[in-house]
Amino acid sequence: MGLRRGETRRALLKGLAGATGISAAGLVVPRWALAQSGKLKIGLMLPYTGTFAQLGVAITNGFKLAVQEEGGKLSGRELEYVTLDDESDPAKAADRANQLVTRDKVDVLLGTVHSGVQMGMVKIARESGVLHIIPNAGVAAATGELCAPNIFRTSFANAQTTYPMGKVLVDRKVRNVVTLTWKYAAGEEAVQGFRDSFTKGGGKIVKELWLPFPNVEFQSLLTEIASLKPDAVFVFFAGGGAAKFLRDYQAAGLKGRIPLYGSGFLTDGILEAAGDAGEGVETTLHYGDGIETARNNAFRVAYVRNFKIAPDVYAVQGYDAGLLLAAGLKAVKGDISKKKEIIAAMEKAEIDSPRGKWKMSRAHNPVQDMYLRKVVGKENKVESVAIKGLDYPPASVCKMAG
Ligand code: PHB
């Protein structure tokens, strides 16, 4: 082939783009060569079917947009995606995550949306040490008792999104509230965050109502709410279930009679599906469509141009996962084997997010501003910052060294 010295190595490395570890001549390629030059394997374990399907798609889109804006590569490394539908099914979660790590040998495990599924992924991440980025699921343990150096979250902790709403309702002198949500970790922690600040300020939760995930048969619960006549209702729902809940709340005649509040997942990404049933609903969240910054506007324009759909909080979280990984890889010039240095860079990174700039807590969860938003037309308009720079539950729960 007539290669000069130096070119030989470059040509060999180029031939490795398939990341098989075996060169054309049948040579086994040293690990360092693959770590620096083969394709980076990203395991996307997300819901692509069921009530959270559109959330998984938005996260995937957001991540890919961030990579595209880096020139389609991260620190010179092309990416290869291995995509797996987790179906929001906790029972299969650990096996599926293990398959990505052990069989597919992904360099980065990215996912997921559902807190129960997340617990299975965290288990595998802790056992294997694989770099793990959580782009949604808010389960407290992931950046609490089970925190680990290789586990990062670019989204929120469940209670972080609802703690501000308790404060908002206390300030408005709302007294008696009924809560309603799915009975699983995300719902339980969402209610806990709300309860913490609401009852501390003198509010009373007159009844906690639950239904199993992903059940959307709300009728009997809405009848019960009508007879309890609270001052307000607080809920956690998301995705398809949230759109259905808003429509049912309106159809039951409760809209306009009993004010409805929640974490922003209630109204994010689903306003088309909800018709006018979301109009006027106020929520708290770390993002809002109407954040008027050049950064957010540029992100929204680029997202719509690429995917022909408006972005939402899930798209932002996926995008920020891409920014975070890019920051980690830059510090090591794309050498994924230098995990300690990557982790150190990710811990220090200031993420210039469409939501506003944020950094990791020492538990690897975003410390971020929480907005009070209101649905106006098909947008979640930002009314105010409900709490600035919120770290909740406090990072001190995490016993990780450092
Ligand atoms: C969760 O299960 O942690 C979860 C799911 C959907 C959301 C927010 C949290 O929108």
Side-chain angles (χ1 to χ4, degrees), residues 370-383:
M370 303 302 301
Y371 303 99
L372 174 64
R373 312 116 42 94
K374 183 179 196 159
V375 176
V376 181
K378 293 291 175 256
E379 271 204 15
N380 286 288
K381 293 271 183 212
V382 172
E383 295 186 288

Side-chain angles (χ1 to χ4, degrees), residues 52 55 113-116 136-139 156 158 184 186 236 238 265 314:
F52 290 159
L55 286 58
V113 167
H114 183 286
S115 277
N136 185 73
V139 64
F156 55 87
N158 289 313
Y184 81 110
F236 162 78
F265 308 114
Y314 310 104

Side-chain angles (χ1 to χ4, degrees), residues 336-376:
I336 193 76
S337 69
K338 295 189 171 156
K339 206 177 282 174
K340 268 204 166 141
E341 287 101 312
I342 295 175
I343 287 171
M346 285 166 60
E347 284 176 335
K348 274 202 274 324
E350 183 179 62
I351 303 299
D352 187 9
S353 169
R355 75 184 90 165
K357 290 188 177 157
W358 63 267
K359 292 181 86 165
M360 291 289 170
S361 73
R362 54 169 291 284
H364 296 179
N365 189 65
V367 178
Q368 55 193 335
D369 295 350
M370 303 302 301
Y371 303 99
L372 174 64
R373 312 116 42 94
K374 183 179 196 159
V375 176
V376 181

